[in-house]
Amino acid sequence: MAATKSRPPKSKSWLLSILLFGTLIAMSLVSLTNPKRSSDKEFADAPEVSISEITRGYSAGRFSKISVRDNKVFITTTTGAVLQSYKESRDTVSQLGWNDPSNSTIVEVENREAQNMLMAILPDLLFLLLVVCGLIWLFRGIARSQSTAMSFGKSRAKVADATQVKTRFKDVAGMEESKEDLMEVVDFLKNPKKYTSIGAKIPKGVLLVGAPGTGKTLLARAVAGESGVPFFSIAGSEFVEMFVGVGASRVRDLFAKAKRNSPCIIFIDEIDAVGRQRGGAGFGGGHDEREQTLNQILTEMDGFEQETNVIVIAATNRPDVLDQALLRPGRFDRRIFIDRPDLVAREQILEVHTRNKKMAKKINLTLIARKTVGLTGADLENIMNEAAIFAAKRKHKTVSQQDIDDAVEKVALGPEKRSRKLSEKEKSITAYHELGHAIVGYLCPESDDLHKISIVSRGSTLGVTWFLPQEDQYTTSRTKFLDEICGLLGGRAAEELIFKEITTGASNDLERASVIARNMAMRYGMGNDDIGLVTYGEKQGTMFLGVDPATTRNYSEEQACHIDDFVRETISKQYVRALGILKKHKSKLDKLTKILLKKETMSKEEFVEIFTGKKPKKRK
Ligand code: ADP
Ligand code: MG
Ligand code: ZN
């Protein structure tokens, strides 16, 4: 903005200063050339004579020059002597009779008054000048702002040239299926003839759907990079302005530009900002502007001729709110779902992000990938970056395994808060609580693998027992749910067993346990006979990307009682089970707590060694 617009005012102020300077110089010149100074000196000591004597001398031709300045009269005689005199201010030269044309005496009248007047009005003149310049400047400003208002409707899409996009498919780890689908799009753009000659239609729109950070934007850039065509990228929110109609005209402009540059790709990121269900009162009310913008996108996409070779790629993490019209064939008819990366993909993503970092020789990324279940590509990138920061802080030459491990913990559990001071009692409660989770979890056969126990405060938690799923799991058994509930209750059970007292520390555990039990009854048909194999609760909208939609009750008061009973029974059964396990291993619990209080963190291997009294066979 600054580069182009600051120009005109710059030259203007330059002109202004020249004008000001010029006037100043002129003023000083005027005062310098003013003859009064020299004559003042010359006549300072001249003898004074009466005015009538001067008139007589003039008539007699005794003077060579008479100068009149205001009321003063300076006379130079023919012999070179000087005299001075005073006249009445109303006496003019002609009244005094000094204007005889036959007289050779030079009579000068210095019009000081005129000069004074000039001096008097000069400031006014300058002021006027300033005002005029100011006005000009103001008008120019208005004109300029009007011209920016005019360019409002221009699209703000950033254009990247084919050569500028450096991203390739090899920079996108995992997502083999998605890449394959997009490979086709790349081929369309490269050899459209191949498809059109046999009558196949080139897809107009591709919708990338996935949770935030799963690499949608990255993938779109990779498509542009691979196909080597210009890439117009714009975020959905950039269409929307304060003024109605601006979005629509931006869409028009964007598509017009794209057609001129075809073949090319238009990438609309976060399209849900404009592509929401139209006329829906539910989502932010009817937003006129958004509707118009969306209508325009639809119109433009319909208006594409087959030969234009413009492909629209859009990305969203809320396909459930998108307008149906966007999804019908001929628009975004290709939908590519991008899942959170699985174990193998996570390892590959980590690999991609080690490429630009100095890594230590022996790094086990599989281990890191195992620890990062459920994290997205963006999270993994963040982890590798945190690891590099740790390495730099610790003055390592390369990023070590330890740095990455710490980074994973920081990202997954929040930064450590070693400064938070806990009382001895609180610390000991926390240690028992966490070891309660650990022991129960370790002894429940279906529970996830124990990974680490820590009583270092992190974020909002005082301690943490970290379990890792062996593999990414897509289904869960009834036994696993019950074991999970049991493990979650282990913390509270330990507190009660040891202190005969309970704290608020377990509230989150109880919440999670209740949710699992309730879902067993309501969603998975794992309840008792009274509940049966019916699912309960009607979802408002579709379940998507792990975000539960609101549910409404579609069952009777009686069934609600059955469900509540089941939840309560399940929880109390598992609580008794957890208490039983801990009672049986109370001496181990005491021993482990003492060690944990000293060491603050404990790995699975250390735990197993103390718990079983044997060296673990093999590190896993
Ligand atoms: P989205 O647009 O889906 O929210 P981005 O495409 O902006 O996510 O991804 C954010 C960052 O995460 C990318 O810049 C990239 O560094 C990293 N990332 C995500 N997925 C991958 C992947 N599959 N391979 C490599 N890096 C990835
Ligand atoms: Mg994105
Ligand atoms: Zn707990």
Side-chain angles (χ1 to χ4, degrees):
M1 182 177 198
T4 51
K5 286 179 186 167
S6 59
R7 250 228 169 126
K10 215 179 212 170
S11 64
K12 198 85 233 167
S13 61
W14 184 71
L15 200 76
L16 199 76
S17 42
I18 284 206
L19 271 170
L20 273 173
F21 239 49
T23 345
L24 274 176
I25 288 173
M27 268 170 71
S28 44
L29 273 180
V30 166
S31 54
L32 269 178
T33 49
N34 197 338
K36 100 183 172 208
R37 292 191 189 176
S38 53
S39 52
D40 275 356
K41 260 189 210 139
E42 205 180 323
F43 293 93
D45 303 322
E48 244 175 70
V49 289
S50 72
I51 197 79
S52 51
E53 212 160 309
I54 306 293
T55 307
R56 249 177 277 132
Y58 171 80
S59 312
R62 274 190 277 132
F63 306 145
S64 64
K65 185 177 166 192
I66 300 175
S67 336
V68 181
R69 191 186 307 152
D70 301 341
N71 293 341
K72 274 192 179 172
V73 185
F74 303 103
I75 304 101
T76 315
T77 63
T78 42
T79 56
V82 288
L83 301 165
Q84 58 179 327
S85 178
Y86 290 91
K87 70 173 184 64
E88 295 291 317
S89 44
R90 56 172 191 281
D91 287 345
T92 62
V93 171
S94 52
Q95 273 170 345
L96 290 167
W98 297 348
N99 58 347
D100 184 0
S102 56
N103 198 309
S104 62
T105 314
I106 304 163
V107 180
E108 264 181 11
V109 179
E110 255 178 53
N111 205 345
R112 267 281 287 272
E113 237 145 64
Q115 250 185 43
N116 278 350
M117 227 156 74
L118 186 72
M119 292 304 244
I121 62 166
L122 240 170
D124 294 331
L125 270 177
L126 272 178
F127 180 71
L128 199 75
L129 204 77
L130 262 172
V131 169
V132 169
C133 288
L135 276 177
I136 290 174
W137 182 75
L138 206 75
F139 279 127
R140 291 190 65 127
I142 290 170
R144 205 164 51 236
S145 72
Q146 267 171 351
S147 73
T148 50
M150 290 315 197
S151 68
F152 237 38
K154 293 273 187 304
S155 94
R156 306 237 162 125
K158 293 172 275 303
V159 191
D161 231 333
T163 50
Q164 280 175 314
V165 182
K166 295 270 186 290
T167 317
R168 296 288 181 273
F169 278 144
K170 71 169 169 32
D171 300 315
V172 185
M175 316 191 210
E176 295 308 327
E177 296 91 349
S178 316
K179 276 199 264 185
E180 229 160 79
D181 280 350
L182 286 170
M183 218 79 94
E184 231 172 76
V185 174
V186 172
D187 203 35
F188 279 140
L189 286 168
K190 276 187 171 163
N191 328 297
K193 285 263 153 48
K194 182 167 132 193
Y195 295 89
T196 48
S197 61
I198 53 166
K201 272 189 187 167
I202 290 175
K204 285 178 183 167
V206 179
L207 186 64
L208 302 175
V209 179
T214 43
K216 301 182 294 293
T217 310
L218 184 74
L219 206 53
R221 292 192 71 80
V223 172
E226 290 283 343
S227 52
V229 298
F231 182 70
F232 293 81
S233 76
I234 189 163
S237 58
E238 282 175 83
F239 286 122
V240 185
E241 278 285 347
M242 201 162 51
F243 308 108
V244 175
V246 172
S249 81
R250 281 192 185 155
V251 171
R252 251 190 317 269
D253 185 60
L254 172 63
F255 279 79
K257 261 188 211 160
K259 276 178 207 164
R260 264 180 264 133
N261 287 291
S262 88
C264 71
I265 293 174
I266 296 178
F267 177 55
I268 307 177
D269 212 350
E270 320 286 350
I271 197 175
D272 40 292
V274 287
R276 294 213 164 176
Q277 215 96 45
R278 284 169 293 179
F283 288 111
H287 194 306
D288 251 358
E289 168 61 354
R290 221 159 45 199
E291 281 185 19
Q292 285 197 16
T293 308
L294 176 58
N295 282 337
Q296 193 62 44
I297 292 179
L298 296 179
T299 317
E300 291 290 346
M301 288 188 75
D302 282 343
F304 273 5
E305 297 85 32
Q306 279 311 315
E307 295 76 45
T308 45
N309 289 338
V310 179
I311 289 186
V312 184
I313 300 181
T316 181
N317 45 26
R318 299 293 309 276
D320 49 326
V321 302
L322 283 188
D323 196 279
Q324 286 307 312
L326 265 182
L327 304 175
R328 70 137 236 236
R331 283 153 186 174
F332 293 103
D333 43 2
R334 290 202 175 211
R335 256 162 285 169
I336 297 179
F337 286 88
I338 302 176
D339 290 323
R340 285 167 192 274
D342 60 11
L343 185 69
V344 180
R346 283 199 304 275
E347 190 176 342
Q348 287 169 350
I349 293 173
L350 286 168
E351 217 282 311
V352 166
H353 291 287
T354 55
R355 280 184 207 158
N356 56 355
K357 296 182 181 68
K358 281 186 199 151
M359 305 301 292
K361 283 261 160 52
K362 273 191 241 149
I363 295 281
N364 187 343
L365 289 178
T366 320
L367 223 71
I368 308 293
R370 263 202 63 204
K371 279 197 225 177
T372 46
V373 181
L375 297 192
T376 62
D379 296 325
L380 296 173
E381 183 190 13
N382 187 19
I383 285 175
M384 291 314 291
N385 190 46
E386 288 287 345
I389 291 172
F390 270 132
K393 265 198 211 155
R394 294 166 182 174
K395 304 208 164 61
H396 295 175
K397 288 235 163 48
T398 54
V399 180
S400 69
Q401 186 84 27
Q402 185 63 47
D403 294 328
I404 309 176
D405 278 343
D406 292 346
V408 171
E409 272 174 40
K410 186 175 172 190
V411 170
L413 309 173
E416 288 188 353
K417 281 192 185 153
R418 286 196 183 267
S419 60
R420 189 185 276 164
K421 286 275 175 288
L422 295 182
S423 67
E424 284 308 308
K425 175 91 194 252
E426 264 179 317
K427 257 183 133 170
S428 137
I429 292 175
T430 308
Y432 271 110
H433 179 109
E434 296 308 332
L435 281 164
H437 285 308
I439 292 175
V440 174
Y442 180 68
L443 292 176
C444 287
E446 287 281 312
S447 175
D448 287 335
D449 242 11
L450 179 64
H451 175 63
K452 192 175 178 175
I453 310 153
S454 157
I455 53 166
V456 177
S457 301
R458 283 170 182 281
S460 60
T461 59
L462 299 183
V464 67
T465 312
W466 196 357
F467 291 95
L468 289 181
Q470 191 76 19
E471 280 300 324
D472 301 70
Q473 275 173 329
Y474 300 102
T475 59
T476 312
S477 67
R478 184 166 182 272
T479 323
K480 184 164 164 59
F481 277 137
L482 292 177
D483 281 359
E484 234 170 78
I485 295 176
C486 189
L488 281 168
L489 297 170
R492 162 125 178 192
E495 283 184 42
E496 193 179 336
L497 183 69
I498 305 296
F499 298 98
K500 308 281 178 283
E501 166 77 293
I502 36 193
T503 66
T504 55
S507 77
N508 181 253
D509 299 335
L510 298 183
E511 219 175 285
R512 280 164 59 198
S514 310
V515 168
I516 295 173
R518 197 164 286 276
N519 279 341
M520 282 174 73
M522 293 174 65
R523 276 167 64 179
Y524 306 125
M526 295 177 182
N528 51 24
D529 288 341
D530 286 332
I531 296 169
L533 298 180
V534 182
T535 62
Y536 296 88
E538 195 173 26
K539 298 201 187 77
Q540 303 284 306
T542 44
M543 154 91 180
F544 186 76
L545 298 175
V547 184
D548 276 321
T551 52
T552 49
R553 221 176 83 171
N554 61 351
Y555 43 92
S556 68
E557 206 54 58
E558 200 192 339
Q559 277 308 334
C561 282
H562 288 315
I563 293 169
D564 290 343
D565 285 346
F566 171 79
V567 171
R568 196 173 49 242
E569 266 166 37
T570 310
I571 300 256
S572 63
K573 237 191 246 166
Q574 292 306 319
Y575 188 63
V576 171
R577 184 176 162 211
L579 260 179
I581 293 174
L582 290 176
K583 261 187 200 143
K584 200 171 145 199
H585 298 281
K586 185 163 179 297
S587 58
K588 298 259 174 62
L589 178 62
D590 288 330
K591 189 174 168 195
L592 279 160
T593 303
K594 253 187 224 123
I595 297 169
L596 181 62
L597 279 171
K598 224 179 288 159
K599 297 181 58 157
E600 295 202 325
T601 60
M602 194 183 265
S603 68
K604 180 194 176 180
E605 288 74 28
E606 291 168 301
F607 173 87
V608 172
E609 196 181 328
I610 299 161
F611 191 78
T612 59
K614 289 183 280 202
K615 285 250 169 213
K617 284 165 244 148
K618 207 180 114 208
R619 256 189 85 106
K620 212 182 164 193

